[in-house]
Amino acid sequence: MLEIIPVSRTTLYRMEKAGKFPKSTYISPNRRVWYEDQIVAWQNAVDEFDPHRARGKGRRRRSD
């Protein structure tokens, strides 16, 4: 998941706990997974909220 969503593991878990990211499901004691359709829906919702948001640390906003 951390390869898809460019945040730290701690940030991801904090977002999940705060309800700002879909909940994970444990498939074994040390393995958690997220459902792809929920992640895609979350990404689409974030993009709809601010389609011109800066992505990543140090990046600049694109001028259209």
Side-chain angles (χ1 to χ4, degrees):
M1 180 56 55
L2 298 175
E3 293 175 7
I4 298 170
I5 308 299
V7 296
S8 70
R9 181 176 300 180
T10 302
T11 300
L12 184 65
Y13 296 146
R14 286 179 183 162
M15 289 170 53
E16 184 180 350
K17 185 176 180 181
K20 296 179 180 181
F21 192 76
K23 296 284 184 184
S24 62
T25 302
Y26 282 96
I27 58 173
S28 72
N30 294 321
R31 179 74 58 181
R32 56 176 27 177
V33 296
W34 286 263
Y35 292 106
E36 182 180 7
D37 59 334
Q38 292 178 347
I39 301 305
V40 170
W42 174 82
Q43 287 175 319
N44 291 336
V46 169
D47 286 341
E48 287 176 11
F49 177 70
D50 186 1
H52 301 293
R53 75 185 191 286
R55 295 176 188 249
K57 187 174 182 178
R59 294 210 178 168
R60 295 181 190 163
R61 186 171 245 169
R62 291 186 342 199
S63 60
D64 295 323

